[in-house]
Amino acid sequence: MLTLASEVEVLARFGRALADPIRCRLLLALREAPAHPSDLADRLGISRTRLSNHLACLRDCGLVVAVPVGRRTRYELADPRLAHALDDLRTAVVAVEADRSCADAEEKDCC
């Protein structure tokens, strides 16, 4: 039986997914359009085994779904609103990066 995750769980799962650059690239690729694993591996320049591990993580986080298409499987974002969330995060990060209001950011490797 499916249950809804709490707000904290949702944010933690999203953070876990974004913690790895390959998973970020995967999410951004799927933001553009659904794709088959072989196409994603070629596009990202990684092995299919490595891609499979990252797709499994994103599925476990509830961010992507596998859709059977004949004998193949296509991956897509689990919810179309994730595309908007990714866009919002990208622009927020750019705005924060340009602002750098923390004077010790460089030295402390924070913010």
Side-chain angles (χ1 to χ4, degrees):
M1 175 160 108
L2 289 175
T3 60
L4 293 177
S6 75
E7 290 178 355
V8 172
E9 288 171 327
V10 168
L11 290 175
R13 286 178 180 201
F14 205 59
R16 178 177 169 213
L18 295 176
D20 184 273
I22 291 175
R23 288 194 295 271
C24 288
R25 292 172 57 206
L26 265 171
L27 288 170
L28 291 173
L30 292 173
R31 179 182 118 261
E32 306 267 328
H36 296 282
S38 59
D39 298 330
L40 288 167
D42 291 343
R43 182 172 177 180
L44 300 179
I46 61 174
S47 71
R48 291 184 187 183
T49 302
R50 194 166 180 199
L51 176 83
S52 178
N53 291 334
H54 287 290
L55 285 171
C57 176
L58 292 173
R59 274 194 324 268
D60 291 345
C61 288
L63 299 175
V64 302
V65 292
V67 178
V69 179
R71 296 189 315 168
R72 297 179 73 194
T73 301
R74 182 185 72 219
Y75 282 85
E76 59 189 47
L77 295 178
D79 186 318
R81 292 175 290 187
L82 288 171
H84 295 292
L86 289 166
D87 288 338
D88 289 345
L89 281 172
R90 285 184 321 113
T91 56
V93 169
V94 169
V96 170
E97 180 67 26
D99 183 18
R100 284 286 187 176
S101 57
C102 177
D104 299 327
E106 297 285 330
E107 183 180 309
K108 294 180 180 177
D109 196 29
C110 64
C111 312

